[in-house]
Structure formats: structure tokens, C-alpha cells
Amino acid sequence: MTYCVGMRLNRGLVLMSDTRTSAGVDNFSVSKKMFTWASPDEYAITIMTAGNLATTQAMISLLEERSKTAEKRDPSILRQPTMFQVARLVGETLKEVIAGSSPNGQTSDDQFRASVILAGQIAGGQPTVFLIYPEGNFIEITDDTPFFQIGETKYGKPILVRAYDADMTFDDAVKLLLVSFDSTIKSNLSVGMPFDVLVYENDAFDVGRQKRVEATDEVFQKISTGWSKALKDAFQELPRYSV
Amino acid sequence: MTYCVGMRLNRGLVLMSDTRTSAGVDNFSVSKKMFTWASPDEYAITIMTAGNLATTQAMISLLEERSKTAEKRDPSILRQPTMFQVARLVGETLKEVIAGSSPNGQTSDDQFRASVILAGQIAGGQPTVFLIYPEGNFIEITDDTPFFQIGETKYGKPILVRAYDADMTFDDAVKLLLVSFDSTIKSNLSVGMPFDVLVYENDAFDVGRQKRVEATDEVFQKISTGWSKALKDAFQELPRYSV
């Protein structure tokens, strides 16, 4: 399993992914699930992946390869005019990889399935986020649905729903995601640290504001323990319910 | 889907179940999922069910029927010497019903599957809780795992893990379950109000302390809105995380 979130704020995008990959509880390791491409004043594109690791690695390699020899081997995700076109290309590549692995072509409950969060901005457009399904189709983020999750989405969702605010600062958004990820790793062994986080400010066309949050990170530890205590305190303040 | 929790405290048991049953989002209704039997100084038994409604209703009807004509039609769950024997009987009945509905006998991904939480006390034993699987086998609650969930278990788990305390009062435990259920109904349409709650004090051999919590319940509404606010306040107090 995996846990990745792509969130849109008024001031930009905040993305976070875990790094645990596993083929059973007795076979797990650390694998980066966040991939970035950027060119000043032109584009900043990030992809986060969940699902079969062979599928997602092949997809990323294909996208990489096609982008590096862009003149000869179009289509490249780095030469698209809009994020919508990038999403189409990523979706087609994902579908192609899955279909190539499946003996009978693609089926919906395929073991080779994977999902993708695509986030970024291309000059002339707004920053946006897409959730791309294994079938290659996708949905775009809206004000009503200001974040997408892939992988183990359930444990970490309630706090996102309650505390998200489009006007929040980047620091607050990262903190919110850390709380959401902390709740998830406490409940699902297949999601694990370290976390990769990326903050993208509108019109920056830069993916340099990245950080890897290790389990030993002091601020993260304070957030994790502080949140447990804060929840207990908040809980005490609620009215009693007698039966 | 469904959401039921059976929790053991030092002073007794607290059980809660939702009441929504659905065969698709366009076909849902209210159905009680909590069933009780008690006899002063002898036994107090509660069953909560999740899964295929035809299966769980048939199971409850069989258990009821066999308990009412106990002399002629043993085994009855009301004539067992221990909760362990009750769990065996419920498990066998559940397995029997599922196997009877399945064209090729029982399979693990069967559409007729159902799970059961069995809770209660029989004179001479301690109050306890069992989680019974569709295969008829079961596990018993321990101090390390002081609550069982069935149905849509993920959204409501983080708060249970963080705030549970074996010494807590019944009022606090009910409040905790209401918060857990509130988080769940906010994220999964197939879990819905009203909720049924039962509080069982050690050695009471009585199931009279029950209540149905309606959506219009004022204290519940205060807990629901208060929790959203409390979470936001608690969140603000955590340290910032700059990237």
C-alpha cells in the first residue's frame, strides 16, 4: 500500500507521499514515489504513484525516456501545452504499461493496477492536480474537492476534511498532512516513513522546495505526540453523553 | 456497509452500532443491528451484525427460534455454560446460514458473508467480547486489543486508538464512540444514523441500559460540531513545519 496526497491551496500546491513499498509484510523497503520535472518560466510537474511498483517504475521510466529524447520520441510530457494534455499522456502511458503486463489485457481488478496523482503548472495555465486511474482516465481537482488521496486513504481523511482551509499557509498545510500521515502509519503497516513533501508556490515553476521527513525529525515527533495529547484534551472538553 | 464497535472497559462493556442497511446508494433503509438477550443473575448477551442482511437476519432468527424452544431444539445460546460456548454456537450458525445461501458452498469472498460481534456475560464468568468471522471461527478481546470493530472500520479507528483508556467512565466511552461514529458517517454514506448504544456494567446481567441516538439528538449535535472545532483548535497549537 501507499499513501499520497495532493492538495491545492489558494497560494499553491502541497504534495506528500510515503516511501514504503511492500510485497507482503515480510518484504518491504523504501522507494521514492514522488517524481519531479521543472524548467524556469516554463513548467513544474510532479507525479506521485500508488500501486504495483513494477507498473509505476515502468511508467516513470517511459515518461522520463520520452522526455529526454523529446525531439525524436514525442510525445513528451514536457512539451505539452497544458496540464490537461500532460494528464492525458500520463494516463495513456499508465494504461499501456498495465495492459502490457496483463496476460489477458487490462481488467479492473488487475494485480498490476496503479494510480497516479499528477500536480503542477505550465506557463499560461493555473496550478492544478489530477487523479489518474489505472484505466487511463482522470479527474481534476476543484474547489469542492480540494485534495486527492491515493493508496490507503481512509485513516487520514477525517482530519483533512475537518481542518482543510483554502487560505491556510504552506506551513499549516504541511502540518495538516503530517497529522494525516501520522494517523495512517499508526493504523496501516504498509504505509511508512520517511515522507517526501513538496511545496509549490503559484507561478514559481520550480520544484526545489522539497524535504524528506525522517522518523527522527524532531518537529514531526512533536507534532505526532502533541496531536495525541491535543486530541485527548479536546475530547475531554466535549459534553458528556449519558445512557 | 455498517459500523459496529464492541469495547471492554474495566467497569463493563460499551457497544454501539449504526442502523443503515443498503443494497446500493439508491436503496437504503434503517435496520437494527443490535440484538439482546438477558435473564437476571444468569446471562446478558448482545450480538451486533455486519454484512449481508439476509444472512444476519436468518442467523438471528435461527438463534431466536432455537432459544425459544430450548427444551426441544437444543443447542440454544441461552443454555451455554460460558461465553466461549456461545461464540462457538453463533459461529456455527453463521457458517451454516452462509453455506446454505451459496450455490457452491462457502467461499471466502462470498457475497453472502457477514461478521458478528458477540458481547456479554454468563454467571460464573467475566464479561467479554468476541469477533466472529464468516468462516465461523472467532477471536476474543484482550487487554492489548480492548475493542473490536466490524464493517467500515477505518475512518473511526484513529480516535479510538488514541483516546481509549480502560479506566474511562461509561459516559466518556459513549462519547468516544460517538466521535468515532461521527467521523465514519462523515466519510462513508453507507454508515448512517440513528445509532444504537448499550452500556453493560460488570455483573449486572441486564441489557436495559440502551439508547437510540437520533440525528436530532442535541448532545450528539454538540459533540459533532464541538469536535470539529476542538480539532481545529488543537491543530493550531501544534508546532509549525516549514519546508
Side-chain angles (χ1 to χ4, degrees), chain A residues 152 154-155 162 171-172 175-176 178 182-183 209 211 213 217 219 226-228 230-232 234-236 238-243, chain B residues 152 154-155 162 171-172 175-176 178 182-183 209 213 217 219 226-228 230-232 234-236 238-243:
Chain A
E152 174 54 274
K154 292 189 177 184
Y155 298 111
R162 302 214 201 216
D171 285 4
D172 275 353
K175 181 166 78 173
L176 175 57
L178 286 174
D182 186 43
S183 292
R209 218 167 145 187
K211 189 162 180 177
V213 184
D217 187 295
V219 182
W227 185 241
S228 284
L231 279 191
K232 286 185 185 176
F235 178 72
Q236 290 305 327
L238 294 177
R240 294 188 154 214
Y241 199 100
S242 295
V243 174
Chain B
E152 174 54 274
K154 293 190 176 182
Y155 298 111
R162 304 216 198 213
D171 284 4
D172 275 353
K175 182 165 80 171
L176 175 58
L178 286 175
D182 186 44
S183 292
R209 219 168 143 186
V213 183
D217 187 294
V219 182
W227 184 242
S228 283
L231 280 190
K232 285 185 187 177
F235 179 72
Q236 290 305 326
L238 294 177
R240 297 190 152 210
Y241 198 100
S242 295
V243 174

Short mmCIF file of all heavy atoms in Angstrom, two decimals, chain A residues 152 154-155 162 171-172 175-176 178 182-183 209 211 213 217 219 226-228 230-232 234-236 238-243, chain B residues 152 154-155 162 171-172 175-176 178 182-183 209 213 217 219 226-228 230-232 234-236 238-243:
data_model
loop_
_atom_site.label_atom_id
_atom_site.label_comp_id
_atom_site.label_asym_id
_atom_site.label_seq_id
_atom_site.Cartn_x
_atom_site.Cartn_y
_atom_site.Cartn_z
N GLU A 152 -3.77 4.12 0.76
CA GLU A 152 -4.55 3.92 1.99
C GLU A 152 -5.14 5.26 2.40
O GLU A 152 -4.55 6.02 3.18
CB GLU A 152 -3.64 3.35 3.08
CG GLU A 152 -4.32 3.23 4.44
CD GLU A 152 -5.61 2.45 4.38
OE1 GLU A 152 -6.66 3.04 4.08
OE2 GLU A 152 -5.56 1.24 4.64
N LYS A 154 -8.20 6.05 3.89
CA LYS A 154 -9.29 6.23 4.85
C LYS A 154 -8.88 6.79 6.21
O LYS A 154 -9.51 7.70 6.72
CB LYS A 154 -10.03 4.90 5.04
CG LYS A 154 -10.78 4.50 3.77
CD LYS A 154 -11.69 3.31 4.02
CE LYS A 154 -12.47 2.98 2.74
NZ LYS A 154 -13.43 1.88 2.98
N TYR A 155 -7.82 6.24 6.80
CA TYR A 155 -7.47 6.67 8.16
C TYR A 155 -7.16 8.15 8.21
O TYR A 155 -7.47 8.82 9.18
CB TYR A 155 -6.27 5.88 8.68
CG TYR A 155 -6.51 4.40 8.79
CD1 TYR A 155 -5.86 3.51 7.95
CD2 TYR A 155 -7.39 3.90 9.74
CE1 TYR A 155 -6.08 2.15 8.05
CE2 TYR A 155 -7.61 2.53 9.84
CZ TYR A 155 -6.95 1.66 8.99
OH TYR A 155 -7.18 0.31 9.09
N ARG A 162 -11.88 17.95 8.02
CA ARG A 162 -12.28 18.91 9.05
C ARG A 162 -11.37 20.13 9.11
O ARG A 162 -11.82 21.21 9.47
CB ARG A 162 -12.28 18.23 10.42
CG ARG A 162 -13.22 17.04 10.46
CD ARG A 162 -13.86 16.90 11.82
NE ARG A 162 -14.34 15.56 12.03
CZ ARG A 162 -15.45 15.26 12.69
NH1 ARG A 162 -16.19 16.19 13.20
NH2 ARG A 162 -15.82 14.02 12.86
N ASP A 171 2.98 26.25 5.75
CA ASP A 171 3.39 25.58 6.99
C ASP A 171 2.24 24.82 7.62
O ASP A 171 2.39 23.67 8.06
CB ASP A 171 3.92 26.61 8.00
CG ASP A 171 5.31 27.10 7.64
OD1 ASP A 171 5.81 26.71 6.57
OD2 ASP A 171 5.87 27.88 8.41
N ASP A 172 1.07 25.45 7.66
CA ASP A 172 -0.09 24.79 8.23
C ASP A 172 -0.52 23.59 7.39
O ASP A 172 -0.92 22.55 7.92
CB ASP A 172 -1.26 25.77 8.36
CG ASP A 172 -1.19 26.58 9.65
OD1 ASP A 172 -0.31 26.28 10.48
OD2 ASP A 172 -2.00 27.50 9.83
N LYS A 175 1.78 20.77 8.07
CA LYS A 175 1.45 20.22 9.39
C LYS A 175 0.20 19.34 9.31
O LYS A 175 0.17 18.23 9.88
CB LYS A 175 1.22 21.39 10.37
CG LYS A 175 0.90 20.98 11.77
CD LYS A 175 1.03 22.16 12.73
CE LYS A 175 -0.17 23.07 12.66
NZ LYS A 175 -0.13 24.12 13.72
N LEU A 176 -0.82 19.82 8.60
CA LEU A 176 -2.05 19.05 8.44
C LEU A 176 -1.76 17.70 7.77
O LEU A 176 -2.25 16.65 8.21
CB LEU A 176 -3.04 19.85 7.59
CG LEU A 176 -4.36 19.16 7.22
CD1 LEU A 176 -5.11 18.70 8.46
CD2 LEU A 176 -5.24 20.09 6.39
N LEU A 178 1.08 16.12 7.78
CA LEU A 178 1.85 15.28 8.70
C LEU A 178 0.92 14.59 9.71
O LEU A 178 1.12 13.41 10.04
CB LEU A 178 2.91 16.12 9.43
CG LEU A 178 4.12 16.51 8.58
CD1 LEU A 178 5.04 17.45 9.35
CD2 LEU A 178 4.90 15.28 8.11
N ASP A 182 0.50 10.69 9.92
CA ASP A 182 0.79 10.05 11.20
C ASP A 182 -0.36 9.12 11.62
O ASP A 182 -0.13 8.00 12.09
CB ASP A 182 1.02 11.14 12.26
CG ASP A 182 1.48 10.56 13.59
OD1 ASP A 182 2.35 9.66 13.58
OD2 ASP A 182 0.98 11.01 14.63
N SER A 183 -1.60 9.58 11.42
CA SER A 183 -2.76 8.72 11.72
C SER A 183 -2.73 7.46 10.87
O SER A 183 -3.13 6.38 11.32
CB SER A 183 -4.07 9.48 11.45
OG SER A 183 -4.24 10.52 12.36
N ARG A 209 11.45 23.28 -3.53
CA ARG A 209 11.05 23.33 -2.12
C ARG A 209 10.55 21.95 -1.71
O ARG A 209 9.37 21.70 -1.57
CB ARG A 209 9.94 24.38 -1.97
CG ARG A 209 10.05 25.17 -0.71
CD ARG A 209 9.17 26.39 -0.75
NE ARG A 209 8.64 26.64 0.57
CZ ARG A 209 7.73 27.56 0.85
NH1 ARG A 209 7.24 28.31 -0.12
NH2 ARG A 209 7.31 27.72 2.08
N LYS A 211 11.39 18.34 0.79
CA LYS A 211 12.06 17.87 2.00
C LYS A 211 11.67 16.43 2.25
O LYS A 211 10.57 16.01 1.92
CB LYS A 211 11.63 18.73 3.20
CG LYS A 211 12.43 18.46 4.43
CD LYS A 211 12.29 19.60 5.42
CE LYS A 211 13.11 19.33 6.67
NZ LYS A 211 13.03 20.45 7.61
N VAL A 213 10.99 13.96 5.26
CA VAL A 213 10.72 13.96 6.71
C VAL A 213 11.05 12.58 7.26
O VAL A 213 10.34 11.61 6.98
CB VAL A 213 9.25 14.32 7.00
CG1 VAL A 213 9.03 14.40 8.51
CG2 VAL A 213 8.87 15.62 6.33
N ASP A 217 12.88 13.10 12.78
CA ASP A 217 12.66 14.55 12.69
C ASP A 217 12.00 15.06 13.97
O ASP A 217 10.92 14.60 14.36
CB ASP A 217 11.77 14.83 11.48
CG ASP A 217 11.62 16.31 11.21
OD1 ASP A 217 11.02 17.02 12.06
OD2 ASP A 217 12.09 16.76 10.16
N VAL A 219 10.65 17.99 14.87
CA VAL A 219 9.36 18.69 14.77
C VAL A 219 8.24 17.70 14.49
O VAL A 219 7.15 17.77 15.08
CB VAL A 219 9.40 19.79 13.68
CG1 VAL A 219 8.08 20.53 13.65
CG2 VAL A 219 10.54 20.75 13.95
N GLY A 226 2.25 15.54 20.22
CA GLY A 226 1.38 16.66 20.57
C GLY A 226 -0.04 16.42 20.12
O GLY A 226 -1.00 16.79 20.79
N TRP A 227 -0.19 15.78 18.96
CA TRP A 227 -1.54 15.55 18.43
C TRP A 227 -2.29 14.55 19.29
O TRP A 227 -3.48 14.73 19.58
CB TRP A 227 -1.44 15.06 16.99
CG TRP A 227 -2.75 14.89 16.30
CD1 TRP A 227 -3.26 13.75 15.80
CD2 TRP A 227 -3.73 15.91 16.06
NE1 TRP A 227 -4.49 13.98 15.24
CE2 TRP A 227 -4.81 15.30 15.39
CE3 TRP A 227 -3.80 17.27 16.34
CZ2 TRP A 227 -5.95 16.00 15.00
CZ3 TRP A 227 -4.94 17.97 15.95
CH2 TRP A 227 -5.99 17.35 15.29
N SER A 228 -1.61 13.51 19.76
CA SER A 228 -2.27 12.55 20.65
C SER A 228 -2.77 13.26 21.91
O SER A 228 -3.92 13.08 22.33
CB SER A 228 -1.30 11.45 21.05
OG SER A 228 -1.12 10.53 20.01
N ALA A 230 -3.29 16.52 22.29
CA ALA A 230 -4.29 17.53 21.95
C ALA A 230 -5.65 16.89 21.73
O ALA A 230 -6.69 17.42 22.14
CB ALA A 230 -3.85 18.29 20.70
N LEU A 231 -5.66 15.70 21.10
CA LEU A 231 -6.93 15.01 20.87
C LEU A 231 -7.58 14.63 22.19
O LEU A 231 -8.78 14.79 22.38
CB LEU A 231 -6.69 13.73 20.06
CG LEU A 231 -6.54 13.85 18.56
CD1 LEU A 231 -6.58 12.47 17.93
CD2 LEU A 231 -7.63 14.71 17.97
N LYS A 232 -6.75 14.12 23.11
CA LYS A 232 -7.31 13.73 24.41
C LYS A 232 -7.88 14.93 25.15
O LYS A 232 -8.95 14.86 25.74
CB LYS A 232 -6.23 13.05 25.26
CG LYS A 232 -5.91 11.65 24.78
CD LYS A 232 -4.94 10.96 25.72
CE LYS A 232 -4.53 9.60 25.17
NZ LYS A 232 -3.53 8.94 25.99
N ALA A 234 -8.92 17.77 23.80
CA ALA A 234 -10.11 18.24 23.09
C ALA A 234 -11.30 17.35 23.42
O ALA A 234 -12.42 17.82 23.62
CB ALA A 234 -9.85 18.24 21.58
N PHE A 235 -11.02 16.06 23.51
CA PHE A 235 -12.07 15.10 23.80
C PHE A 235 -12.70 15.36 25.17
O PHE A 235 -13.91 15.29 25.35
CB PHE A 235 -11.45 13.70 23.73
CG PHE A 235 -12.41 12.60 24.04
CD1 PHE A 235 -13.41 12.26 23.15
CD2 PHE A 235 -12.32 11.91 25.23
CE1 PHE A 235 -14.30 11.25 23.44
CE2 PHE A 235 -13.21 10.89 25.52
CZ PHE A 235 -14.20 10.57 24.62
N GLN A 236 -11.84 15.69 26.14
CA GLN A 236 -12.35 15.95 27.49
C GLN A 236 -13.31 17.12 27.52
O GLN A 236 -14.22 17.17 28.34
CB GLN A 236 -11.18 16.21 28.45
CG GLN A 236 -10.34 14.99 28.76
CD GLN A 236 -11.16 13.83 29.29
OE1 GLN A 236 -12.14 14.01 29.98
NE2 GLN A 236 -10.77 12.62 28.93
N LEU A 238 -15.50 18.03 25.33
CA LEU A 238 -16.82 17.80 24.73
C LEU A 238 -17.84 17.46 25.81
O LEU A 238 -17.48 16.94 26.86
CB LEU A 238 -16.74 16.65 23.73
CG LEU A 238 -15.91 16.87 22.48
CD1 LEU A 238 -15.90 15.59 21.65
CD2 LEU A 238 -16.43 18.03 21.66
N PRO A 239 -19.13 17.73 25.54
CA PRO A 239 -20.15 17.39 26.54
C PRO A 239 -20.24 15.89 26.75
O PRO A 239 -19.94 15.11 25.86
CB PRO A 239 -21.45 17.94 25.92
CG PRO A 239 -21.17 18.10 24.47
CD PRO A 239 -19.71 18.40 24.36
N ARG A 240 -20.65 15.46 27.93
CA ARG A 240 -20.81 14.04 28.25
C ARG A 240 -22.07 13.49 27.62
O ARG A 240 -23.01 14.24 27.35
CB ARG A 240 -20.92 13.86 29.77
CG ARG A 240 -19.68 14.24 30.46
CD ARG A 240 -19.79 13.87 31.92
NE ARG A 240 -18.45 13.67 32.44
CZ ARG A 240 -18.16 12.78 33.37
NH1 ARG A 240 -19.09 12.03 33.90
NH2 ARG A 240 -16.93 12.65 33.78
N TYR A 241 -22.10 12.20 27.44
CA TYR A 241 -23.31 11.57 26.93
C TYR A 241 -23.68 10.42 27.84
O TYR A 241 -22.98 9.41 27.91
CB TYR A 241 -23.09 11.06 25.50
CG TYR A 241 -24.38 10.83 24.78
CD1 TYR A 241 -24.87 11.77 23.88
CD2 TYR A 241 -25.15 9.71 25.04
CE1 TYR A 241 -26.07 11.58 23.23
CE2 TYR A 241 -26.36 9.52 24.41
CZ TYR A 241 -26.82 10.45 23.51
OH TYR A 241 -28.02 10.27 22.88
N SER A 242 -24.79 10.57 28.56
CA SER A 242 -25.20 9.52 29.50
C SER A 242 -26.23 8.60 28.88
O SER A 242 -27.16 9.06 28.20
CB SER A 242 -25.80 10.15 30.76
OG SER A 242 -24.82 10.89 31.44
N VAL A 243 -26.06 7.31 29.09
CA VAL A 243 -27.02 6.32 28.59
C VAL A 243 -27.70 5.67 29.79
O VAL A 243 -27.02 5.21 30.71
CB VAL A 243 -26.32 5.25 27.74
CG1 VAL A 243 -27.31 4.16 27.35
CG2 VAL A 243 -25.74 5.90 26.50
N GLU B 152 -17.31 -0.79 8.33
CA GLU B 152 -16.42 0.27 7.87
C GLU B 152 -15.57 0.73 9.05
O GLU B 152 -15.92 1.64 9.79
CB GLU B 152 -17.23 1.44 7.31
CG GLU B 152 -16.40 2.66 6.93
CD GLU B 152 -15.27 2.34 5.99
OE1 GLU B 152 -14.18 1.95 6.48
OE2 GLU B 152 -15.46 2.46 4.78
N LYS B 154 -12.24 1.80 9.24
CA LYS B 154 -11.02 2.60 9.15
C LYS B 154 -11.14 4.05 9.61
O LYS B 154 -10.31 4.55 10.35
CB LYS B 154 -10.47 2.54 7.73
CG LYS B 154 -9.97 1.15 7.36
CD LYS B 154 -9.22 1.14 6.05
CE LYS B 154 -8.66 -0.25 5.77
NZ LYS B 154 -7.88 -0.27 4.52
N TYR B 155 -12.20 4.73 9.15
CA TYR B 155 -12.29 6.17 9.46
C TYR B 155 -12.37 6.41 10.96
O TYR B 155 -11.82 7.38 11.47
CB TYR B 155 -13.52 6.78 8.79
CG TYR B 155 -13.49 6.72 7.29
CD1 TYR B 155 -14.36 5.90 6.58
CD2 TYR B 155 -12.59 7.49 6.57
CE1 TYR B 155 -14.33 5.85 5.20
CE2 TYR B 155 -12.55 7.43 5.18
CZ TYR B 155 -13.43 6.61 4.51
OH TYR B 155 -13.40 6.55 3.15
N ARG B 162 -6.24 6.41 19.96
CA ARG B 162 -5.56 7.45 20.75
C ARG B 162 -6.25 7.77 22.06
O ARG B 162 -5.59 8.15 23.02
CB ARG B 162 -5.46 8.74 19.92
CG ARG B 162 -4.77 8.52 18.59
CD ARG B 162 -3.94 9.73 18.22
NE ARG B 162 -3.63 9.73 16.82
CZ ARG B 162 -2.51 10.21 16.31
NH1 ARG B 162 -1.58 10.72 17.09
NH2 ARG B 162 -2.30 10.20 15.02
N ASP B 171 -19.82 7.21 30.46
CA ASP B 171 -20.17 8.42 29.71
C ASP B 171 -19.06 8.80 28.73
O ASP B 171 -19.33 9.16 27.59
CB ASP B 171 -20.38 9.60 30.69
CG ASP B 171 -21.72 9.49 31.41
OD1 ASP B 171 -22.42 8.48 31.21
OD2 ASP B 171 -22.06 10.41 32.17
N ASP B 172 -17.82 8.71 29.19
CA ASP B 172 -16.70 9.04 28.30
C ASP B 172 -16.57 8.05 27.16
O ASP B 172 -16.26 8.42 26.02
CB ASP B 172 -15.38 9.08 29.09
CG ASP B 172 -15.16 10.44 29.75
OD1 ASP B 172 -15.96 11.36 29.48
OD2 ASP B 172 -14.19 10.58 30.52
N LYS B 175 -19.16 8.79 24.62
CA LYS B 175 -18.74 10.00 23.90
C LYS B 175 -17.67 9.64 22.87
O LYS B 175 -17.73 10.09 21.71
CB LYS B 175 -18.20 11.02 24.90
CG LYS B 175 -17.78 12.32 24.30
CD LYS B 175 -17.62 13.38 25.38
CE LYS B 175 -16.29 13.24 26.12
NZ LYS B 175 -16.05 14.39 27.02
N LEU B 176 -16.71 8.82 23.29
CA LEU B 176 -15.64 8.40 22.37
C LEU B 176 -16.22 7.67 21.16
O LEU B 176 -15.84 7.93 20.01
CB LEU B 176 -14.65 7.50 23.12
CG LEU B 176 -13.52 6.87 22.30
CD1 LEU B 176 -12.69 7.93 21.60
CD2 LEU B 176 -12.64 6.01 23.19
N LEU B 178 -19.23 7.96 20.00
CA LEU B 178 -19.99 8.91 19.17
C LEU B 178 -19.06 9.70 18.25
O LEU B 178 -19.38 9.95 17.09
CB LEU B 178 -20.80 9.86 20.06
CG LEU B 178 -22.04 9.24 20.71
CD1 LEU B 178 -22.70 10.23 21.67
CD2 LEU B 178 -23.06 8.79 19.65
N ASP B 182 -19.21 9.48 14.33
CA ASP B 182 -19.43 10.73 13.60
C ASP B 182 -18.39 10.88 12.48
O ASP B 182 -18.72 11.27 11.36
CB ASP B 182 -19.35 11.91 14.59
CG ASP B 182 -19.71 13.22 13.92
OD1 ASP B 182 -20.69 13.26 13.16
OD2 ASP B 182 -19.00 14.22 14.16
N SER B 183 -17.13 10.53 12.78
CA SER B 183 -16.09 10.59 11.74
C SER B 183 -16.42 9.63 10.60
O SER B 183 -16.15 9.91 9.43
CB SER B 183 -14.72 10.20 12.32
OG SER B 183 -14.28 11.17 13.22
N ARG B 209 -29.83 -0.91 29.77
CA ARG B 209 -29.24 0.41 29.61
C ARG B 209 -28.91 0.64 28.14
O ARG B 209 -27.76 0.56 27.71
CB ARG B 209 -27.99 0.49 30.48
CG ARG B 209 -27.83 1.83 31.14
CD ARG B 209 -26.77 1.77 32.21
NE ARG B 209 -26.02 3.01 32.23
CZ ARG B 209 -24.95 3.22 32.98
NH1 ARG B 209 -24.49 2.26 33.75
NH2 ARG B 209 -24.33 4.38 32.94
N VAL B 213 -29.61 6.81 19.52
CA VAL B 213 -29.16 8.19 19.34
C VAL B 213 -29.62 8.66 17.96
O VAL B 213 -29.11 8.19 16.94
CB VAL B 213 -27.63 8.30 19.44
CG1 VAL B 213 -27.18 9.74 19.33
CG2 VAL B 213 -27.14 7.67 20.75
N ASP B 217 -30.58 14.41 18.08
CA ASP B 217 -30.15 14.44 19.48
C ASP B 217 -29.24 15.64 19.74
O ASP B 217 -28.21 15.80 19.10
CB ASP B 217 -29.40 13.14 19.79
CG ASP B 217 -29.07 12.98 21.24
OD1 ASP B 217 -28.26 13.78 21.77
OD2 ASP B 217 -29.62 12.06 21.87
N VAL B 219 -27.35 16.59 22.35
CA VAL B 219 -26.00 16.36 22.88
C VAL B 219 -25.09 15.82 21.77
O VAL B 219 -23.94 16.24 21.62
CB VAL B 219 -26.02 15.40 24.08
CG1 VAL B 219 -24.61 15.23 24.64
CG2 VAL B 219 -26.94 15.92 25.16
N GLY B 226 -18.79 20.33 18.15
CA GLY B 226 -17.72 20.66 19.09
C GLY B 226 -16.41 19.97 18.72
O GLY B 226 -15.33 20.53 18.87
N TRP B 227 -16.52 18.76 18.20
CA TRP B 227 -15.32 18.01 17.85
C TRP B 227 -14.61 18.65 16.66
O TRP B 227 -13.38 18.76 16.63
CB TRP B 227 -15.68 16.56 17.54
CG TRP B 227 -14.51 15.67 17.26
CD1 TRP B 227 -14.25 15.00 16.12
CD2 TRP B 227 -13.43 15.38 18.16
NE1 TRP B 227 -13.08 14.29 16.23
CE2 TRP B 227 -12.56 14.50 17.48
CE3 TRP B 227 -13.12 15.76 19.46
CZ2 TRP B 227 -11.40 14.02 18.07
CZ3 TRP B 227 -11.97 15.28 20.04
CH2 TRP B 227 -11.12 14.41 19.34
N SER B 228 -15.36 19.11 15.67
CA SER B 228 -14.75 19.80 14.54
C SER B 228 -13.97 21.02 15.02
O SER B 228 -12.82 21.25 14.63
CB SER B 228 -15.82 20.24 13.53
OG SER B 228 -16.27 19.15 12.77
N ALA B 230 -12.92 21.63 18.12
CA ALA B 230 -11.83 21.24 19.01
C ALA B 230 -10.63 20.75 18.21
O ALA B 230 -9.47 21.06 18.54
CB ALA B 230 -12.31 20.14 19.96
N LEU B 231 -10.88 20.02 17.13
CA LEU B 231 -9.78 19.54 16.29
C LEU B 231 -9.02 20.70 15.68
O LEU B 231 -7.79 20.72 15.65
CB LEU B 231 -10.32 18.66 15.16
CG LEU B 231 -10.66 17.22 15.47
CD1 LEU B 231 -10.93 16.46 14.19
CD2 LEU B 231 -9.53 16.54 16.24
N LYS B 232 -9.77 21.68 15.19
CA LYS B 232 -9.11 22.84 14.57
C LYS B 232 -8.27 23.60 15.59
O LYS B 232 -7.16 24.03 15.30
CB LYS B 232 -10.16 23.77 13.95
CG LYS B 232 -10.74 23.23 12.66
CD LYS B 232 -11.67 24.23 12.02
CE LYS B 232 -12.36 23.62 10.82
NZ LYS B 232 -13.33 24.52 10.20
N ALA B 234 -7.01 22.38 18.39
CA ALA B 234 -5.87 21.53 18.77
C ALA B 234 -4.79 21.60 17.69
O ALA B 234 -3.59 21.67 17.98
CB ALA B 234 -6.32 20.09 18.98
N PHE B 235 -5.24 21.60 16.46
CA PHE B 235 -4.32 21.64 15.33
C PHE B 235 -3.48 22.91 15.35
O PHE B 235 -2.28 22.90 15.08
CB PHE B 235 -5.15 21.53 14.04
CG PHE B 235 -4.35 21.59 12.80
CD1 PHE B 235 -3.54 20.52 12.43
CD2 PHE B 235 -4.38 22.70 11.99
CE1 PHE B 235 -2.79 20.58 11.28
CE2 PHE B 235 -3.63 22.77 10.84
CZ PHE B 235 -2.83 21.71 10.48
N GLN B 236 -4.13 24.04 15.68
CA GLN B 236 -3.41 25.31 15.71
C GLN B 236 -2.29 25.30 16.73
O GLN B 236 -1.27 25.98 16.55
CB GLN B 236 -4.37 26.47 16.02
CG GLN B 236 -5.35 26.79 14.90
CD GLN B 236 -4.67 27.08 13.57
OE1 GLN B 236 -3.58 27.63 13.53
NE2 GLN B 236 -5.28 26.65 12.48
N LEU B 238 -0.31 22.89 17.58
CA LEU B 238 0.87 22.08 17.25
C LEU B 238 1.97 22.96 16.65
O LEU B 238 1.68 23.99 16.06
CB LEU B 238 0.48 20.99 16.24
CG LEU B 238 -0.49 19.92 16.71
CD1 LEU B 238 -0.82 18.99 15.55
CD2 LEU B 238 0.07 19.14 17.87
N PRO B 239 3.22 22.51 16.77
CA PRO B 239 4.30 23.30 16.18
C PRO B 239 4.19 23.34 14.65
O PRO B 239 3.64 22.44 14.03
CB PRO B 239 5.57 22.55 16.62
CG PRO B 239 5.13 21.19 16.99
CD PRO B 239 3.73 21.32 17.49
N ARG B 240 4.71 24.41 14.06
CA ARG B 240 4.69 24.56 12.60
C ARG B 240 5.75 23.70 11.96
O ARG B 240 6.73 23.34 12.60
CB ARG B 240 4.98 26.01 12.21
CG ARG B 240 3.95 26.95 12.71
CD ARG B 240 4.16 28.32 12.08
NE ARG B 240 2.89 29.00 12.01
CZ ARG B 240 2.58 29.88 11.09
NH1 ARG B 240 3.44 30.18 10.14
NH2 ARG B 240 1.40 30.46 11.09
N TYR B 241 5.57 23.41 10.70
CA TYR B 241 6.58 22.64 9.97
C TYR B 241 6.89 23.38 8.68
O TYR B 241 6.06 23.46 7.78
CB TYR B 241 6.08 21.23 9.66
CG TYR B 241 7.21 20.30 9.33
CD1 TYR B 241 7.71 19.42 10.27
CD2 TYR B 241 7.82 20.33 8.09
CE1 TYR B 241 8.76 18.58 9.99
CE2 TYR B 241 8.88 19.51 7.79
CZ TYR B 241 9.36 18.63 8.75
OH TYR B 241 10.42 17.82 8.46
N SER B 242 8.10 23.94 8.60
CA SER B 242 8.48 24.71 7.41
C SER B 242 9.27 23.85 6.44
O SER B 242 10.15 23.10 6.84
CB SER B 242 9.32 25.92 7.81
OG SER B 242 8.54 26.80 8.58
N VAL B 243 8.94 23.96 5.16
CA VAL B 243 9.66 23.24 4.11
C VAL B 243 10.39 24.26 3.24
O VAL B 243 9.80 25.21 2.78
CB VAL B 243 8.68 22.41 3.25
CG1 VAL B 243 9.43 21.79 2.08
CG2 VAL B 243 8.02 21.36 4.09
#
